[in-house]
Amino acid sequence: MATQYHQRGFALAADATELVLVRHGASAPAVDGQPFQSLHGHGDPPLAPEGELQAEAVARRLAAPAHAPAALFVTGLQRTAQTAAPLAERTGLEAHVVWELREVNLGEWEGGVLRIRVAEGDPLAKRLFDEQRWDVIPGAEPADAFARRLRAAVERIAAAHLDQKVAVFTHGAAIGELMAQATGSEPFAFTGADNASISDLVITAQKWIVRRFNDTAHLDGGLPEGLQFHQ
């Protein structure tokens, strides 16, 4: 009988690290004239009530034995710490702060201003998305600086957790930038990650591999009836 070669599932190589990238849950709404509190120049809103429910849904999913991470990381902005907290409680893991994983700094549009300007159809907001550059905004973080700090943080985490899966609670633009670096895509090709969504990157010394993007199964079908979040 001829030798049979069956398809095999993905297996993490010994020199690789799997990063489970979780976007924070929905944060408090922006209100014109009432900017979010600030932390080191970044708007720092807390989770909204729906974001707290989303955080619980993430924890139920990632605490399962098949998905449980070896370590947890947050960015220092409270919406990521609050999203990670239910998983930390379930697993007993400490959430480590890696400030370099924080959201892009939006300069003059920090504190919730971006949401308001986009909703109002500000021409500069349209230009931002047309040109796919956050630094179109006055005073915003340069694109190359944003890319460098995220890459450095990921490489440092990966080097410390070879052959392990870790969970990184971060932000929409940060996830989009990391996915763009992994794929060589246009800068904003992956900027649409939903709140509390899960994306996966496998990091090796030679390359980054995208395993998953914007998985929301735990939100759309994993909550009790009446609490689903339809994106």
Side-chain angles (χ1 to χ4, degrees):
M1 181 177 178
T3 302
Q4 297 182 355
Y5 299 91
H6 296 278
Q7 289 184 316
R8 296 184 298 173
F10 176 81
L12 194 67
D15 65 342
T17 305
E18 182 176 357
L19 265 63
V20 180
L21 302 172
V22 183
R23 188 184 177 197
H24 61 81
S27 59
V31 178
D32 198 7
Q34 300 178 33
F36 298 138
Q37 67 183 57
S38 179
L39 180 67
H40 303 309
H42 288 261
D44 191 28
L47 290 185
E50 60 269 30
E52 294 175 355
L53 292 174
Q54 291 170 334
E56 293 289 347
V58 169
R60 284 195 293 272
R61 178 129 185 230
L62 295 185
H67 304 294
L72 303 182
F73 298 92
V74 297
T75 71
L77 295 172
Q78 65 176 325
R79 55 196 184 273
T80 65
Q82 291 170 353
T83 306
L87 181 59
E89 183 176 358
R90 285 173 180 253
T91 61
L93 295 171
E94 178 184 357
H96 301 282
V97 174
V98 179
W99 180 242
E100 292 86 352
L101 292 167
R102 69 194 181 279
E103 186 60 291
V104 63
N105 187 284
L106 296 173
E108 294 182 10
W109 284 15
E110 272 294 344
V113 175
L114 174 68
R115 296 188 203 177
I116 296 168
R117 294 294 182 92
V118 170
E120 293 179 346
D122 188 298
L124 189 59
K126 181 180 185 303
R127 182 182 156 205
L128 182 159
F129 290 104
D130 286 345
E131 296 186 16
Q132 301 188 58
R133 289 176 44 228
W134 298 109
D135 52 6
V136 164
I137 300 168
E141 185 173 11
D144 57 347
F146 181 47
R148 282 197 308 271
R149 69 166 166 85
L150 287 172
R151 190 172 192 94
V154 164
E155 289 178 344
R156 188 166 71 250
I157 291 170
H161 293 278
L162 296 179
D163 196 25
Q164 290 183 326
K165 177 191 297 184
V166 302
V168 174
F169 289 77
T170 183
H171 307 267
I175 292 170
E177 171 60 31
L178 291 172
M179 290 286 168
Q181 289 190 36
T183 61
S185 72
E186 293 185 348
F188 280 19
F190 293 91
T191 304
D194 291 308
N195 288 116
S197 63
I198 296 172
S199 302
D200 275 16
L201 278 179
V202 172
I203 309 297
T204 74
Q206 295 76 34
K207 59 184 177 181
W208 292 12
I209 303 167
V210 175
R211 291 279 298 155
R212 171 170 49 165
F213 175 67
N214 200 44
D215 180 352
T216 59
H218 50 293
L219 306 181
D220 298 332
L223 293 174
E225 186 176 355
L227 292 180
Q228 280 99 24
F229 300 96
H230 299 292
Q231 308 299 335

